[in-house]
Amino acid sequence: METVIQKNEHFEIEIIDMGEGGEGIGKINDFTLFIPGGLIGDLVEVRIVKVKKSYGYGKMIKLIKPSPFRQEVSCELGGKCGGCQLQHMNYKAQLEWKQKKVENCLKRIGKLENIVVEPTLGMEEPYRYRNKAQYPIRKEDGKVVMGFFAPRSHRLVPLSDCAIQHVDNARIMEIVRKFLQDNDISIYNEETHKGLVRHLVIKTGYHAEEIMVCLVINGKKLPHSEKLVKALQEIPQICSIILNHHVEKNNVILGDSCTVLSGKPNIIDSIGTLKFNISPLAFFQVNPLQTEVLYQKALEYAELTGKEIVWDAYCGIGTISLFLAQKAKKVYGVEIVPQAIENAKENAKLNGISNTEFFAGKAEEVIPDLYKKGVIADTIVVDPPRKGCETKLLETLKAMAPQKIVYVSCDPATLARDLAYLTNEAGYQVEKVQPVDMFPHTTHVETVVLLSKGEIDSKKVRVEFSLEDMDMSGFQKGATYEQIKAYVLEHSGLKVSSLYISQIKRKCGLDVGQNYNLSKKENAKVPKCPPEKEAAIMEALKHFQMT
Ligand code: SAH
């Protein structure tokens, strides 16, 4: 029988789960109720505030019996900003909840049963972990304020400190705030698109103890900037002071161009033994300690021996690629943002790593294109954004059939969807699932998954290729002799020599290398390519779009 629930009714209810945004979830028979502020295990009194067909929202009126997982909130904002949704839950319970969240997604969305999800790898000290803060700046009643936005709004919640940010940020905020106030610098207004100063962005090198302070302005110049530089020199770790110019009317935080006010244009930080150049615009993982845990897991799952050709799809500034390159023969990274690819190349140089190559483009276009050219990888790592992998990329993974796929995911729902495809359609087995807590006190969870093919498919012959051999500019037509041989072997089971390939290429009017020219001797006996091999080579040339 359907339960009839009405607005303003009161209920006593136990919170049995939590939703995406950390809101408590309870049930009144088959009716689902979302209760902001409720925690699994709480017994609460709620007033119904909104009723839909099969679900509704309740306001917590009284906490009748607190959950055993509740803890004191230590942050001054205490859930008023949109940042941390789980800080009223003790850390051990947060980690268990994240493990369950991954498990549930795999079951509910992926229909994947009997998969062991490892306990979430958490932090020893889950506070002050972030290396990047972005504070909007506003003027309220003549006073300059900065802080965070309230959940799902652009209402500013002022703050002086935040429990997950670097300790120095509070001091930096106060110096900047005082400078703006004392010098009467105009502050940006979102509605009118007038005013100069929009955001304060602070980036901190965790290991290197270098700090970048970046002021985002709606214009070219900051009046009295020398006073700001002088005031910030009070903190010796600040080695880069930047103006970012953002004159567009949108919600994006940073504009495209920067000017250095003082110090270096970038700061440097390290993950493990690798160093990374961090520019104001580049993406860099925000929790450096856990990033190392995550990458070590990906590396452990990849089980590299030094012989492998590895692809890192969605490589960002090449962080995972460089980690893998230390143990692989060659790593190719693909990333959609061209500046990130430039950073990746610089980072490879910075670390003296020469067995990586990076491509700017969509993973779902670059990798299928290269596969058509005969490229096969031993291991592929994917680390897509929240929406997961595009179908076209998954189809190419299926066709290419690397022995191992390491899937690094920031959204268990799209992870579950993609794993369903890779297991049901592409013949992979989920071997290991490891959640890692990159964002303590939030509902986010990162997961590393190892998928493998099981037995080696003996028909698949790994193509020993080098992209340097191929003309990669615009993915022009062409394939090496080795690739043609591998293709022929894989598709017809026939072994063909370079000589035969050259004969058929010549027959098709294609250029052949000088080593494959006809013998100079008039009467030299040159073996002639038999018809079945000719047909197989022709097919390969067609496949590589050479004819
Ligand atoms: N592996 C990196 C970055 C992961 S974030 C790291 O650990 O730091 C996901 C990355 O995917 C972002 O850098 C984003 O720019 C990139 N991206 C988004 N869509 C893409 C696409 N279709 N093809 C390739 N890269 C894409």
Side-chain angles (χ1 to χ4, degrees):
M1 219 184 69
E2 213 174 284
T3 317
V4 182
I5 307 284
Q6 291 191 351
K7 207 173 153 179
N8 289 327
E9 268 187 295
H10 281 230
F11 287 92
E12 204 176 287
I13 190 167
E14 195 191 331
I15 311 287
I16 52 167
D17 200 358
M18 277 154 79
E20 265 298 298
E23 64 281 9
I25 297 175
K27 290 254 181 197
I28 306 167
N29 297 328
D30 50 358
F31 188 83
T32 303
L33 204 59
F34 294 98
I35 305 148
L39 190 67
I40 301 182
D42 279 343
L43 185 65
V44 295
E45 181 186 333
V46 293
R47 177 164 53 82
I48 306 292
V49 289
K50 197 174 194 177
V51 179
K52 297 268 183 192
K53 197 161 179 285
S54 61
Y55 68 93
Y57 292 85
K59 186 171 164 49
M60 207 161 104
I61 302 295
K62 197 169 147 198
L63 182 57
I64 301 168
K65 191 165 167 266
S67 156
F69 310 129
R70 270 199 179 264
Q71 69 172 8
E72 278 286 311
V73 171
S74 56
C75 184
E76 67 174 51
L77 287 179
K80 287 194 209 73
C81 79
C84 300
Q85 308 88 15
L86 299 180
Q87 43 177 341
H88 51 320
M89 189 182 215
N90 74 44
Y91 191 51
K92 185 166 171 278
Q94 287 183 25
L95 295 177
E96 283 168 12
W97 180 75
K98 290 183 185 191
Q99 177 188 12
K100 246 187 90 199
K101 180 173 169 171
V102 175
E103 238 167 51
N104 286 345
C105 282
L106 295 186
K107 272 193 203 137
R108 195 168 45 82
I109 302 168
K111 306 272 178 281
L112 297 159
E113 297 291 337
N114 307 322
I115 287 182
V116 178
V117 176
E118 299 292 331
T120 312
L121 295 174
M123 299 187 79
E124 247 169 61
E125 183 49 70
Y127 292 97
R128 306 271 175 211
Y129 61 82
R130 283 186 65 99
N131 59 10
K132 183 176 86 172
Q134 311 184 118
Y135 305 103
I137 305 176
R138 296 287 178 272
K139 203 159 202 175
E140 285 175 5
D141 303 326
K143 284 213 169 96
V144 176
V145 286
M146 50 183 90
F148 290 128
F149 288 135
R152 292 175 295 280
S153 89
H154 271 212
R155 184 172 56 78
L156 192 102
V157 183
L159 92 163
S160 58
D161 194 14
C162 159
I164 59 170
Q165 299 289 359
H166 196 281
V167 268
D168 287 334
N169 285 13
R171 260 172 88 199
I172 296 170
M173 282 170 83
E174 187 43 33
I175 292 171
V176 175
R177 202 199 57 73
K178 193 164 177 309
F179 160 79
L180 296 172
Q181 186 81 49
D182 291 355
N183 293 285
D184 204 15
I185 310 282
S186 78
I187 304 297
Y188 185 67
N189 179 319
E190 258 185 330
E191 273 145 41
T192 60
H193 189 51
K194 296 241 159 65
L196 187 65
V197 181
R198 298 172 79 137
H199 268 83
L200 167 65
V201 177
I202 305 173
K203 293 193 174 190
T204 324
Y206 184 86
H207 295 285
E209 293 196 357
E210 293 191 345
I211 299 176
M212 170 188 285
V213 175
C214 173
L215 211 55
V216 184
I217 60 170
N218 178 28
K220 286 209 171 89
K221 284 215 159 118
L222 175 72
H224 310 294
S225 61
E226 71 293 341
K227 288 190 194 168
L228 176 66
V229 170
K230 191 152 182 281
L232 285 171
Q233 272 161 1
E234 203 182 284
I235 301 175
Q237 293 91 328
I238 297 177
C239 58
S240 168
I241 305 175
I242 307 278
L243 279 184
N244 173 266
H245 309 283
H246 182 12
V247 294
E248 302 293 320
K249 192 176 178 186
N250 58 31
N251 282 338
V252 177
I253 292 175
L254 292 163
D256 292 337
S257 67
C258 293
T259 312
V260 178
L261 272 185
S262 168
K264 311 192 288 181
N266 298 323
I267 56 169
I268 288 195
D269 200 9
S270 50
I271 304 175
T273 55
L274 296 173
K275 287 197 185 73
F276 293 94
N277 231 325
I278 302 165
S279 72
L281 299 175
F283 170 86
F284 192 64
Q285 294 277 359
V286 298
N287 183 336
L289 276 182
Q290 289 299 89
T291 299
E292 190 172 344
V293 173
L294 182 79
Y295 291 175
Q296 283 297 357
K297 245 321 136 189
L299 189 61
E300 177 193 320
Y301 283 2
E303 277 186 308
L304 300 173
T305 63
K307 293 194 188 122
E308 295 80 1
I309 289 168
V310 183
W311 279 88
D312 178 16
Y314 310 91
C315 70
I317 58 166
T319 32
I320 296 183
S321 320
L322 297 183
F323 240 68
L324 298 166
Q326 300 173 96
K327 298 269 167 70
K329 181 172 176 200
K330 183 100 193 192
V331 180
Y332 297 100
V334 187
E335 158 66 43
I336 199 166
V337 177
Q339 296 95 310
I341 287 294
E342 288 313 307
N343 292 149
K345 289 177 183 167
E346 285 160 19
N347 285 329
K349 256 198 213 137
L350 183 68
N351 291 287
I353 291 179
S354 55
N355 58 338
T356 51
E357 242 180 273
F358 295 99
F359 299 94
K362 291 184 181 170
E364 63 274 17
E365 286 175 9
V366 174
I367 295 175
D369 266 354
L370 288 169
Y371 176 63
K372 263 195 228 144
K373 301 257 172 224
V375 170
I376 293 180
D378 300 298
T379 301
I380 294 203
V381 177
V382 294
D383 183 9
R386 301 201 63 156
K387 65 178 180 168
C389 296
E390 295 286 329
T391 314
K392 210 168 154 220
L393 177 64
L394 293 175
E395 284 168 0
T396 305
L397 296 189
K398 175 183 173 184
M400 194 191 277
Q403 193 58 27
K404 286 199 186 85
I405 298 174
V406 179
Y407 195 130
V408 181
S409 154
C410 55
D411 186 340
T414 53
L415 170 71
R417 180 202 65 199
D418 293 348
L419 292 187
Y421 176 89
L422 290 168
T423 51
N424 297 334
E425 309 286 330
Y428 282 90
Q429 284 160 17
V430 175
E431 304 281 353
K432 288 175 189 164
V433 181
Q434 177 65 70
V436 179
D437 192 20
M438 301 284 280
F439 310 101
H441 313 296
T442 75
T443 51
H444 299 291
V445 57
E446 201 90 3
T447 315
V448 192
V449 177
L450 170 64
L451 293 129
S452 93
K453 269 273 167 198
E455 277 164 54
I456 294 185
D457 184 349
S458 57
K459 276 209 307 264
K460 278 268 171 215
V461 178
R462 191 161 70 80
V463 182
E464 278 287 350
F465 75 103
S466 152
L467 292 192
E468 290 90 4
D469 287 355
M470 297 166 66
D471 185 356
M472 296 304 297
S473 53
F475 304 120
Q476 282 169 6
K477 293 170 186 176
T480 60
Y481 280 76
E482 290 312 308
Q483 287 170 296
I484 296 170
K485 282 181 200 173
Y487 183 93
V488 170
L489 186 58
E490 190 188 332
H491 288 83
S492 63
L494 296 171
K495 280 195 171 175
V496 291
S497 65
S498 299
L499 177 73
Y500 287 167
I501 297 173
S502 71
Q503 288 175 356
I504 308 308
K505 277 178 87 175
R506 192 179 294 107
K507 217 170 170 177
C508 297
L510 294 167
D511 271 355
V512 292
Q514 59 174 1
N515 293 343
Y516 305 120
N517 278 335
L518 287 172
S519 169
K520 300 246 170 7
K521 284 191 204 154
E522 283 293 316
N523 56 355
K525 275 207 174 131
V526 180
K528 210 170 156 282
C529 183
E532 78 272 17
K533 291 196 176 181
E534 177 173 342
I537 294 169
M538 283 298 287
E539 198 193 307
L541 297 181
K542 240 187 237 144
H543 170 81
F544 292 117
Q545 299 170 16
M546 293 166 80
T547 56

